[in-house]
Amino acid sequence: MIKVEDIVYARFRAPDLDKMEAFLVDFGMQRYARTDTALYMRGVGSDPIVHVTELGDPGFVGLAFQASTEADLQAVADANDVTVEVRSEPGGGKRVLVHDPDGFPIEVIWGLDKLDVMEVQEIAPLNARLDKPRQGAVKRMTAGPSHVHRLGHVVLNVVDYPKSFAWYHEQFGLVKSDEVFIGTEDAVLGAFTRCDQGERMVDHHTVFFVGAGKSGFNHAAWEVADLDDLMLGHDVLAEKGYTSVWGVGRHILGSQVFDYWRDPWGHTVEHWTDGDLFDASVPPGKAPIDDLLGRQWGPEPLEDMAG
């Protein structure tokens, strides 16, 4: 077993790369590279690619994890009797391609180019009741799309949740943050899982497995600069006439401020900020489904959150 460092990008298909690029720019990404058959988008973080679109019938293709070392990449290849490939796509590096229990292509990559983190507009901090860091300064910001920093998590509907979790745990070291149950605690629907990076703090969840009885893409979520940045992006997406799914609100599990939208082909994509961070010492929790669909503030979820 290796322990992956993080998720890097999600891969989709769409029949019109121009239309997808226009949406993703409004969503807060920038073009990193484009070919006749694929579009590679970056955020303002160090990852050169956070979203890939292949030309074709619309759909979700798969996702990529970051390996810690080249030796880890080789370990995954050996365990699955596959070979380490030199990536032929923009960003360079090497990869191993495996398939999870539901057939999703999962890339493990190493050696991807790293970019300088881009500056975004400085927005003066929030003043709270007792903590008022903004003193002698006004709060002004420039309207425009959010600044996507990185991919944070992907949610997958899976046929058999225990089987899927066992595979991802054995292959990549993912551990549970919260299992979600319906009714009684033994009726587990799925789990939020995170990377195991020892004492290093990581996101509350990197992959959430929903035991839906059938496989499919649920949604993918990209971190933006902060709350103001998320709200600026919300206005842009609304003004452009894109389809809002759920938001703005604050989740219970993971605590993120969320804002869900549909891309032009119906994939659910999320902006989020201010999520919980856990290290490996935090034990798994259990929570009722009401906590999954509930929110600390914000609107009620729409009926269709299945993507």
Side-chain angles (χ1 to χ4, degrees), residues 161 175-180 188 190-194 204-205 208 252-254 276 278 283-287:
Y161 151 65
V175 295
K176 298 173 187 175
S177 292
D178 284 300
E179 280 192 322
V180 177
V188 176
F192 291 94
T193 68
R194 67 183 187 274
H204 169 271
H205 54 282
F208 177 37
I252 297 173
L253 302 175
D276 293 336
F278 289 175
K286 285 203 171 187

Side-chain angles (χ1 to χ4, degrees), residues 165-180:
F165 172 72
W167 188 84
Y168 280 85
H169 175 68
E170 291 167 5
Q171 291 276 343
F172 310 128
L174 298 189
V175 295
K176 298 173 187 175
S177 292
D178 284 300
E179 280 192 322
V180 177

Side-chain angles (χ1 to χ4, degrees), residues 85-98:
E85 308 166 356
V86 175
R87 288 184 77 253
S88 59
E89 295 182 301
K94 297 180 179 180
R95 76 164 191 173
V96 168
L97 177 64
V98 294

